[in-house]
Amino acid sequence: MTDIAIAYWHMFQKKGDKLIVLLGRHRKAEIKKVVRSYLSTIIGIFIVGFMWVFTQIHITSMGYTISLLQNKVHQLENFQRMLLVDISSLRSPDRIDNMARQMGLTIPDEVKIVCLPQPQYLVENKPINLFKFGINFFKLNKAEAWSKRRVE
């Protein structure tokens, strides 16, 4: 065995001052450096491996989510097509005509147009007096409206 291997063997077999005496201070510092470098390498590999596994899991879950959303989009597109077909069938003039005839509706022979005069408050663009509208609505004059209002 080499000197470093023997030093490692003694380091793990004996503790404390005996190790310093057997290996010497110079050898102990070298061994600590080597052990630290191995430990840091192992920890680094573990961290990199953990990050790789985590990203692979994340990528897989995102791919699964994307495929679910794509399926949902296809379902919604098919549903939209079905609705468009329903709309076109419901809007067909033949269907509307048949339903009107079943309900007893007919096309009128004559068309009569009745023109109503436009109310004055709409023509003048003045604000509407709601109190005045209420009195006219109930066919009361102002004196009757005020007297009934005070009595209540």
Side-chain angles (χ1 to χ4, degrees):
M1 289 179 30
T2 62
D3 292 335
I4 295 177
I6 293 172
Y8 279 121
W9 176 257
H10 288 295
M11 186 173 86
F12 291 114
Q13 293 296 323
K14 299 178 183 178
K15 297 178 183 176
D17 294 336
K18 293 180 183 178
L19 182 62
I20 294 173
V21 171
L22 290 173
L23 298 176
R25 292 194 185 274
H26 184 65
R27 292 249 180 171
K28 184 179 176 186
E30 288 178 16
I31 292 172
K32 281 185 176 181
K33 284 181 185 178
V34 171
V35 169
R36 283 183 191 153
S37 67
Y38 283 135
L39 283 176
S40 63
T41 304
I42 290 170
I43 291 171
I45 290 171
F46 177 74
I47 290 172
V48 168
F50 180 75
M51 288 173 48
W52 184 78
V53 168
F54 179 76
T55 54
Q56 292 302 314
I57 290 171
H58 189 66
I59 288 169
T60 304
S61 68
M62 292 302 280
Y64 180 70
T65 305
I66 288 170
S67 68
L68 287 177
L69 291 175
Q70 285 176 342
N71 288 339
K72 185 72 173 177
V73 166
H74 290 302
Q75 288 174 354
L76 291 174
E77 286 173 348
N78 289 337
F79 187 66
Q80 183 182 17
R81 283 189 210 108
M82 288 175 21
L83 290 176
L84 289 174
V85 169
D86 287 346
I87 288 172
S88 64
S89 67
L90 291 174
R91 284 186 177 176
S92 71
D94 294 334
R95 180 185 165 278
I96 294 172
D97 188 43
N98 289 336
M99 286 184 69
R101 287 182 188 188
Q102 288 174 358
M103 292 168 39
L105 301 176
T106 59
I107 298 174
D109 296 334
E110 295 180 26
V111 177
K112 293 183 181 179
I113 299 174
V114 178
C115 294
L116 298 174
Q118 193 171 17
Q120 190 64 26
Y121 60 86
L122 291 178
V123 175
E124 296 174 356
N125 279 336
K126 290 184 179 177
I128 301 170
N129 186 353
L130 293 178
F131 184 70
K132 194 174 194 180
F133 175 74
I135 292 171
N136 290 338
F137 182 74
F138 293 110
K139 296 182 180 176
L140 299 173
N141 60 25
K142 287 184 182 181
E144 290 174 343
W146 279 106
S147 64
K148 287 188 179 186
R149 196 172 183 101
R150 288 184 184 155
V151 172
E152 294 173 356

